[in-house]
Amino acid sequence: MDKIRNFCIIAHIDHGKSTLADRLLEATKTLEARDLQAQVLDDMDLERERGITIKSHAIQMQYNYNGTQYTLNLIDTPGHVDFSYEVSRSIAACEGALLIVDATQGIQAQTISNLYMALEHDLAIIPVMNKMDMDSAMPDEVEDQIVELLGCKREEIIRASGKTGLGVEEILQAIVERIPAPKGDPGAPLQCLIFDSVFNSFRGIIAYFKIVNGTIRPKDLVKFVATGKEYEADEIGILKLDMVPQKELSAGNVGYIISGIKTSKEVKVGDTITHVKRPCAEAIDGFEEVKPMVFAGVYPIETEDFEDLRSSIEKLQLNDASLTFEPESSAALGFGFRCGFLGMLHMEIIQERLDREFNMNVITTVPNVSYKVFTNKGACLEVHNPSGLPDMTEIDHIEEPYIRASVITKTDYIGQIMTLCLGKRGELVKQEYVSGNRVELIYDMPLGEIVFDFYDKLKSISKGYASFDYHMNGFRPSKLVKLDILLNGESVDALSSLIHFDNAYTLGRRMCEKLQELIPRQQFDIAIQAAIGSKIIARETVKAVRKDVTAKCYGGDISRKRKLLEKQKRGKKRMKQIGNVEVPQKAFLAVLKLD
């Protein structure tokens, strides 16, 4: 066991984690030259297209140090705030972490929050300054920031470059010297922590685990503690680029298990695996339950695809444990699911993955957050969906979730960022200088305000320099109203939203204008209205396409024309009663992207 090192790589988005991981794999000869490609651990097409890591990836390397062979288990993690749950799971399976800071940008918000997460789990931290080959690198300034943040010595910071391979050998030596070997007893009863799982259509569900105590061999009878189900371990092994079967794995190792599990409900991330004959006394503390931040309805375009959508979401949930879902129905869209996501990017990625991996075409409703509604009778309801809101006469008050947001930016952009945060009903808590020209602004803001476009606007105002991170900070009473969109007097529940009273008028107005552009013209007038309760606050009309019925009247008496127009008017009236208005999918999406 003293020859094993388990470590993860944590950093802010785009600080070069995956590129540095490539160099480590190259230096330890884990990859053949022909397998080499940039960001080799990002194996999803989606990750390559967007240049971001979505999933944490585990891989094992062998490293020879002073004549001794060491086994290094690396877990590369995402950097975006929406995938921080992946990072927390990786940290739970490691004893050490490489903290990577971009020498051209310095410490950013996600660096700090991931670092705190690692320190809570008592991981050994190895600070690495990446991108040292860049002309715009500021090694001395960034070194000062790291020393201030970590309280480490200057000589402990490794200068590296993922592009040129500078400092890779030093990093490998530091991993062996500074990261402690895993603690555990190979002879004790088996205890394994599941930190990830994937669905394979040929082999069933494959669970990735870290062994804390004990030893596991193929054909062992194992039990999953949370579900109480028992299986035979068909195959166990370690993770290289592909899965490599092994005869046995003992404490401290990271590996996978295939036991022919078919249904996704039987594997839970954070669960403990143990032997049936000699079970462990207690389960390992898993991870904290994930708290979704953004809720949206996901509906199949064809109603008969409902069951296929259910199984697709279940399989996706195996691979992404931060996704939560429950069935719901809507008058406009039929049956679907109310899904919980960690943020807007997460929601977009899930929608893309459903389309690519499972061929599911879905409609997503307007995203919102969960509110606490207190009724006159003193009851408290949690509402995720505007249609679940009780009648306004029964509501005493509504509380909405607040977050504590931390924005780190250059001093040049403070004014614009403050204007943006105040526009989103933010309250400045404090402002402190991290270093020379970098400042950290801490705001309390309603979560509902940052759900849509806050992150995009922040990036464009600060030319990509500002970094953003947040955590939940309780609920506060707020003046919220339900904004309904009516088409010909019929409410479209998929477009209704809960919104703060001050913003309701402008949003209602803009939604009506947008829908007027996108709803195709019919044979009758379509009234698009935004309403709060019974009060209409905005209206637009899609004009009817009409035939010129008076074209055949030339000359003659006006009463002939009047007769034809009256007849047309009666027909239009009847048509309006039986006609229905189709809202195209792009109208739903456009309403989400109102800026």
Side-chain angles (χ1 to χ4, degrees):
M1 268 183 72
D2 53 356
K3 309 269 189 307
I4 298 176
R5 299 287 184 272
N6 298 323
F7 68 101
C8 58
I9 300 185
I10 54 177
H12 189 81
I13 189 167
D14 269 348
H15 279 203
K17 295 175 291 301
S18 302
T19 312
L20 203 63
D22 290 354
R23 296 293 85 78
L24 294 175
L25 296 177
E26 231 174 274
T28 55
K29 310 229 173 358
T30 307
L31 293 182
E32 299 292 321
R34 63 167 185 263
D35 291 332
L36 275 179
Q37 52 170 343
Q39 287 90 28
V40 71
L41 290 179
D42 291 352
D43 51 8
M44 244 187 272
D45 294 341
L46 208 53
E47 293 181 312
R48 299 195 151 277
E49 283 167 26
R50 292 176 176 241
I52 55 177
T53 305
I54 294 167
K55 287 289 303 161
S56 53
H57 297 272
I59 193 163
Q60 192 173 92
M61 309 182 276
Q62 300 296 332
Y63 176 58
N64 209 326
Y65 179 60
N66 292 347
T68 315
Q69 187 87 353
Y70 286 91
T71 301
L72 310 181
N73 288 312
L74 152 72
I75 303 181
D76 177 27
T77 61
H80 195 284
V81 63
D82 277 15
F83 305 111
S84 54
Y85 189 63
E86 290 283 331
V87 183
S88 73
R89 288 159 31 193
S90 308
I91 285 175
C94 295
E95 281 80 38
L98 293 182
L99 179 76
I100 293 184
V101 180
D102 185 335
T104 62
Q105 297 195 4
I107 284 173
Q108 295 192 298
Q110 205 54 35
T111 320
I112 297 176
S113 70
N114 286 343
L115 173 69
Y116 287 156
M117 219 189 289
L119 291 174
E120 275 169 29
H121 284 80
D122 295 331
L123 300 197
I125 307 285
I126 300 176
V128 177
M129 248 194 320
N130 196 16
K131 305 197 186 178
M132 287 300 293
D133 58 314
M134 304 269 282
D135 295 337
S136 55
M138 318 171 286
D140 300 332
E141 287 175 40
V142 176
E143 215 166 63
D144 292 342
Q145 292 174 20
I146 296 175
V147 169
E148 200 173 306
L149 180 69
L150 276 176
C152 60
K153 298 189 181 72
R154 277 179 180 277
E155 53 272 17
E156 287 176 17
I157 301 170
I158 299 171
R159 297 186 172 200
S161 160
K163 195 178 272 181
T164 61
L166 165 81
V168 168
E169 200 57 41
E170 283 176 60
I171 293 175
L172 288 165
Q173 289 171 14
I175 289 166
V176 173
E177 288 168 6
R178 299 193 212 167
I179 293 178
K183 298 179 181 65
D185 178 3
L190 180 70
Q191 253 187 330
C192 308
L193 174 74
I194 299 179
F195 66 86
D196 205 354
S197 55
V198 289
F199 179 79
N200 182 313
S201 45
F202 302 107
R203 314 284 311 257
I205 288 161
I206 305 170
Y208 299 156
F209 60 77
K210 179 201 176 181
I211 307 178
V212 179
N213 286 311
T215 305
I216 184 171
R217 297 176 182 83
K219 301 288 174 255
D220 281 358
L221 264 179
V222 294
K223 177 171 140 188
F224 286 59
V225 177
T227 54
K229 294 275 174 55
E230 297 177 4
Y231 305 98
E232 187 181 274
D234 295 339
E235 179 181 311
I236 59 163
I238 56 169
L239 298 152
K240 292 250 171 140
L241 251 194
D242 299 315
M243 296 184 283
V244 184
Q246 299 288 322
K247 290 282 183 285
E248 74 167 37
L249 287 174
S250 59
N253 246 313
V254 173
Y256 69 90
I257 177 170
I258 300 177
S259 47
I261 305 172
K262 294 285 184 290
T263 50
S264 47
K265 289 192 183 68
E266 293 171 22
V267 176
K268 291 211 165 30
V269 168
D271 192 3
T272 306
I273 307 176
T274 185
H275 278 133
V276 174
K277 288 185 179 149
R278 200 175 144 219
C280 55
E282 56 189 32
I284 307 164
D285 289 340
F287 319 108
E288 70 278 13
E289 275 296 297
V290 58
K291 296 184 193 69
M293 301 284 183
V294 177
F295 295 89
V298 173
Y299 292 87
I301 286 181
E302 302 295 332
T303 29
E304 59 266 23
D305 293 345
F306 176 70
E307 283 305 323
D308 294 347
L309 181 62
R310 182 198 294 273
S311 68
S312 304
I313 294 182
E314 278 177 2
K315 286 170 188 167
L316 201 54
Q317 193 183 32
L318 271 178
N319 196 237
D320 184 349
S322 50
L323 171 68
T324 59
F325 69 97
E326 57 188 38
E328 72 163 3
S329 64
S330 139
L333 300 168
F335 290 103
F337 296 94
R338 169 96 351 212
C339 297
F341 308 96
L342 294 182
M344 289 297 276
L345 177 70
H346 187 208
M347 174 174 141
E348 210 177 302
I349 295 291
I350 293 288
Q351 217 176 329
E352 279 272 298
R353 287 184 70 183
L354 279 172
D355 184 24
R356 290 180 183 210
E357 294 171 31
F358 304 100
N359 235 347
M360 292 302 308
N361 259 336
V362 293
I363 290 180
T364 316
T365 62
V366 180
N368 56 10
V369 296
S370 61
Y371 297 95
K372 284 185 178 167
V373 177
F374 292 86
T375 62
N376 297 335
K377 293 175 182 163
C380 169
L381 312 168
E382 193 167 288
V383 175
H384 300 312
N385 189 347
S387 62
L389 202 66
D391 195 57
M392 278 302 182
T393 52
E394 296 170 22
I395 297 174
D396 181 43
H397 67 280
I398 304 177
E399 291 191 354
E400 65 175 334
Y402 264 70
I403 57 162
R404 173 66 55 96
S406 141
V407 178
I408 296 182
T409 174
K410 288 191 164 181
T411 43
D412 318 358
Y413 310 117
I414 293 182
Q416 292 159 295
I417 289 175
M418 283 185 160
T419 312
L420 172 69
C421 293
L422 290 172
K424 299 281 184 189
R425 295 191 285 135
E427 297 163 16
L428 183 65
V429 178
K430 66 173 179 186
Q431 158 182 356
E432 54 187 341
Y433 284 82
V434 184
S435 66
N437 68 338
R438 293 159 63 75
V439 65
E440 180 176 24
L441 303 170
I442 294 182
Y443 271 91
D444 279 348
M445 298 167 79
L447 179 63
E449 292 283 337
I450 66 155
V451 161
F452 287 108
D453 52 2
F454 178 77
Y455 194 65
D456 301 341
K457 281 188 176 166
L458 181 70
K459 282 289 180 205
S460 52
I461 283 175
S462 65
K463 304 193 171 62
Y465 273 109
S467 60
F468 171 67
D469 186 46
Y470 62 87
H471 55 263
M472 291 304 290
N473 194 24
F475 283 77
R476 297 191 194 176
S478 185
K479 193 177 179 187
L480 296 167
V481 290
K482 182 182 173 193
L483 179 70
D484 283 313
I485 299 292
L486 311 173
L487 295 180
N488 277 347
E490 295 277 322
S491 168
V492 182
D493 59 351
L495 291 174
S496 59
S497 54
L498 271 174
I499 187 164
H500 194 267
F501 182 77
D502 298 347
N503 305 340
Y505 178 74
T506 47
L507 184 80
R509 188 69 188 274
R510 293 208 324 260
M511 278 172 98
C512 288
E513 285 165 5
K514 197 77 185 168
L515 286 169
Q516 185 197 12
E517 289 169 27
L518 293 165
I519 289 178
R521 290 170 71 182
Q522 308 274 4
Q523 299 269 322
F524 50 90
D525 280 1
I526 302 170
I528 304 170
Q529 294 165 311
I532 297 173
S534 56
K535 183 182 176 193
I536 304 293
I537 57 170
R539 168 177 174 140
E540 296 290 336
T541 310
V542 178
K543 291 311 256 176
V545 183
R546 52 189 291 260
K547 182 178 166 190
D548 187 0
V549 286
T550 58
K552 61 183 179 188
C553 300
Y554 49 93
D557 191 40
I558 184 71
S559 58
R560 289 179 60 200
K561 287 186 181 177
R562 176 77 55 235
K563 183 179 130 194
L564 289 168
L565 287 169
E566 284 298 324
K567 187 179 171 191
Q568 184 186 36
K569 192 171 164 187
R570 284 199 303 277
K572 294 272 182 216
K573 193 173 174 185
R574 200 168 75 241
M575 196 186 283
K576 188 170 183 172
Q577 285 164 356
I578 58 168
N580 60 349
V581 183
E582 290 287 313
V583 182
Q585 161 72 3
K586 65 170 188 257
F588 283 111
L589 295 175
V591 170
L592 304 188
K593 294 204 166 69
L594 283 176
D595 52 305

